[in-house]
């Protein structure tokens, strides 16, 4: 990955509005789902971020006819010429694992690099394998590759041992083209999964959610569809938190506020005034925010993907806050970097204790360890006294569309440098 840097000069007054893009974590499974259909598919509101472009390249490498312009994907995978997705790029993202289920169902053979993604701790795929094996797949690991084979998938009654987002998505896609009906129990509840179900049903699949049970009637083929990706709730949350760092009201547009209800409740408890007007969220910042205590949980709990950004904000509350990270076992890498900028964060296993109020110092160079960590550093830098350089900023472009441009429009002094 090229080492882009971000240069941010803090303390510019933020003002105005920002528009939210489509959800990365809905677009990625949506792209994997293209392999299930031989029809023409149009998907709009697809964010132009690095992980999305890697998935598109992978689909083109197996013979997919795909264009991506103005956030719209037009795709046709009439003939799949190979089941092999290899290379550093495919292996660098977590979402590449999402080719496993649908390609087994459509092609009977798939070889894909083991998934990468953010270095945030253990990221198992054993539930994906277990479920697919119960459907009649053979899966083996050779070197760094996962190889899946089947003579035909069959419907399954499978209970996930724990909540998994991509695991649920993989099995839904596999079951859509399996022989017979499936029921997936203890499925994850993230809205991006329901966006995938919506897309698949438009392609002709028969999928219904009943709480955390997902019922799927296997079909023999899937066809054309037109679909729009839901707004990105993590981007939404990131800009809502950015609004709390501002001096004036900030309007976050094109949102679905109910998708971040948990964050909005927490911010209200901290003393931030939030108004909702249709799909706009209006944040009236409060310079005297109260500390809080929270734990990350699967949806509808507080998302692990907003933990780093909220931690940056908690440095601005007057007192001691606490965050417990319950999803990943190494997702506090941003804490040390925020401390370099002047924060007072103490880590003990899965708990971070944040003592505010911090005046972030300028003239610091920090390192973006992962996608959401880099967003936390950007937030801190926006109010630092002087210039912050964020190294490894390419992490940010994996998941945030046009972040420097969006923040500049709000009045931030931010530039990408090499
Ligand atoms: N797990 C297992 N075995 C499995 C699957 C998961 O032990 O077979 C464990 C993981 O090790 C982890 C937990 O279950 O401790 C949750 O993992 P999950 O499978 O839900 O995560 P994921 O599907 O790999 C997606 C998002 C992440 C987001 C998590 C949790 C995508 C492409 N990624 O990952 O997004 O943090 O769900 O909500 O959808 C991000 O966008 O920055 C990001 C990391």
């Amino acid at each position: 990955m090229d080492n882009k840097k971000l240069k941010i000069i803090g303390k510019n007054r933020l003002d105005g509005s920002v528009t939210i893009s489509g959800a990365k974590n809905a677009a990625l499974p949506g792209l994997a789902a293209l392999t299930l259909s031989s029809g023409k598919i149009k998907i709009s509101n697809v964010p132009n971020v690095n992980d999305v472009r890697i998935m598109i390249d992978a689909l083109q490498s197996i013979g997919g006819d795909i264009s991506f312009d103005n956030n719209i994907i037009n795709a046709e995978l009439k003939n799949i010429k190979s089941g092999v997705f290899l290379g550093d790029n495919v292996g660098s993202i977590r979402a590449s694992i999402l080719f496993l289920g649908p390609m087994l169902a459509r092609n009977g053979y798939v070889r894909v690099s083991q998934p990468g993604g953010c270095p945030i701790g253990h990221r198992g795929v054993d539930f994906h394998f277990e479920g697919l094996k119960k459907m009649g797949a053979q899966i083996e690991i050779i070197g760094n590759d996962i190889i899946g084979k089947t003579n035909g998938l069959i419907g399954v009654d499978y209970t996930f041992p724990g909540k998994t987002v991509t695991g649920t998505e993989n099995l839904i896609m596999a079951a859509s083209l399996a022989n017979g009906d499936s029921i997936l129990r203890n499925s994850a509840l993230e809205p991006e999964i329901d966006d995938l179900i919506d897309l698949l049903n438009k392609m002709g699949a028969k999928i219904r959610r009943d709480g955390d049970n997902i019922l799927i009637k296997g079909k023999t083929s899937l066809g054309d569809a037109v679909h729009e990706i839901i707004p990105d709730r993590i981007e939404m949350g990131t800009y809502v938190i950015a609004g709390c760092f501002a001096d004036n009201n900030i309007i976050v547009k094109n949102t679905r506020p109910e998708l971040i209800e948990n964050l909005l409740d927490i911010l209200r408890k901290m003393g931030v005034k939030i108004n909702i007007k249709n799909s706009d969220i209006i944040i009236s910042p409060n310079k005297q925010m109260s500390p809080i205590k929270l734990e990350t949980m699967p949806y509808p709990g507080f998302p692990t993907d907003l933990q780093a950004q909220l931690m940056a904000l908690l440095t601005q509350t007057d007192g001691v806050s606490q965050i417990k990270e319950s999803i990943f076992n190494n997702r506090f890498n941003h804490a040390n970097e925020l401390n370099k900028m002047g924060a007072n964060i103490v880590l003990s296993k899965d708990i971070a204790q944040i003592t505010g109020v911090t005046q972030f110092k300028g003239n610091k160079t920090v390192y973006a360890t992962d996608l959401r960590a880099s967003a936390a550093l950007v937030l801190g830098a926006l109010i630092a006294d002087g210039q912050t350089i964020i190294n490894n900023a390419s992490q940010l472009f994996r998941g945030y569309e046009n972040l420097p441009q969006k923040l500049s429009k709000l009045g931030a002094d931010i530039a990408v440098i090499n």
Side-chain angles (χ1 to χ4, degrees), residues 66-366:
I66 301 181
S67 68
F68 183 34
D69 297 300
N70 297 321
N71 299 105
I72 296 173
I73 298 263
N74 277 295
E76 195 171 5
L77 272 86
K78 228 188 285 178
N79 302 306
I80 290 183
K81 65 171 198 235
S82 134
V84 182
F85 304 86
L86 296 177
D88 290 349
N89 278 345
V90 174
S92 74
I93 62 170
R94 174 74 174 170
S96 55
I97 191 71
L98 289 168
F99 287 125
L100 191 60
M103 282 296 287
L104 274 166
R106 168 98 184 266
N107 196 50
Y109 175 83
V110 54
R111 179 170 184 147
V112 61
S113 308
Q114 294 223 48
C118 289
I120 53 183
H122 175 68
R123 301 191 73 175
V125 284
D126 43 326
F127 310 156
H128 304 229
F129 291 176
E130 187 179 74
L132 290 168
K133 282 180 184 168
K134 286 206 164 152
M135 296 178 83
Q138 294 156 28
I139 294 176
E140 59 177 333
I141 311 283
I142 297 187
N144 196 39
D145 298 347
I146 301 167
I147 295 164
K149 291 181 199 157
T150 181
N151 292 326
L153 296 181
I154 45 170
V156 72
D157 183 336
Y158 180 68
T159 303
F160 287 100
K163 295 278 188 217
T164 163
V165 177
T166 49
T168 302
E169 292 165 345
N170 233 337
L171 263 63
I172 290 173
M173 289 190 279
S176 299
L177 279 189
N179 187 4
D181 297 350
S182 295
I183 174 158
L184 305 176
R185 301 176 198 269
N186 194 28
S187 295
L189 296 165
E190 271 67 6
E192 292 75 19
I193 298 172
D194 292 277
D195 200 46
L196 172 68
I197 293 175
D198 194 16
L199 166 64
L200 291 169
N201 281 338
K202 287 171 181 164
M203 289 180 183
K206 274 252 167 293
I207 308 168
R208 185 167 66 81
R209 185 194 272 287
D210 177 12
D212 62 6
N213 289 338
I214 297 178
L215 300 101
I216 305 139
K217 281 191 178 305
K219 304 280 274 193
T220 48
S221 66
L222 299 179
D224 300 352
V226 177
H227 181 69
E228 182 179 341
I229 295 289
I230 54 170
D232 193 312
R233 68 193 161 96
I234 305 304
E235 192 197 19
M236 240 180 259
T238 304
Y239 284 105
V240 166
I241 293 172
C244 302
F245 283 89
D247 296 310
N248 299 307
N249 285 5
I250 297 284
I251 306 174
V252 183
K253 295 177 108 48
N254 188 33
T255 75
R256 277 184 44 194
E258 73 277 12
L259 300 183
I260 51 166
E261 200 48 58
N262 200 298
L263 170 71
L264 298 180
D265 280 351
I266 285 169
L267 295 176
R268 286 188 183 110
K269 279 192 197 119
M270 288 168 63
V272 180
K273 215 172 117 209
I274 290 168
N275 282 309
I276 312 279
K277 226 181 183 180
N278 304 320
S279 64
D280 290 354
I281 303 174
I282 304 143
I283 304 112
S284 309
N286 174 356
K287 292 288 160 211
Q288 260 110 41
M289 288 178 290
S290 325
I292 43 131
K293 196 171 165 184
L294 70 104
E295 180 175 355
T296 61
M297 295 293 261
Y299 191 85
F302 183 81
T304 175
D305 292 347
L306 283 173
Q307 177 256 105
Q309 302 88 316
L310 189 71
M311 190 183 290
L313 182 65
L314 292 178
T315 65
Q316 301 308 300
T317 66
D318 192 2
V320 182
S321 295
Q322 186 179 298
I323 301 182
K324 181 171 181 197
E325 170 56 54
S326 304
I327 309 292
F328 293 108
N329 63 4
N330 184 26
R331 206 176 196 179
F332 281 148
N333 294 318
H334 41 281
N336 289 334
E337 302 304 304
L338 289 170
N339 281 345
K340 281 186 202 161
M341 296 167 72
N344 178 358
I345 304 168
V346 178
L347 301 179
S348 162
K349 290 190 187 144
D350 54 356
I351 292 185
Q353 190 172 292
I354 306 113
T355 307
V357 178
T358 294
Q359 172 50 61
F360 283 112
K361 299 174 198 146
N363 298 321
K364 297 287 172 198
T365 298
V366 287

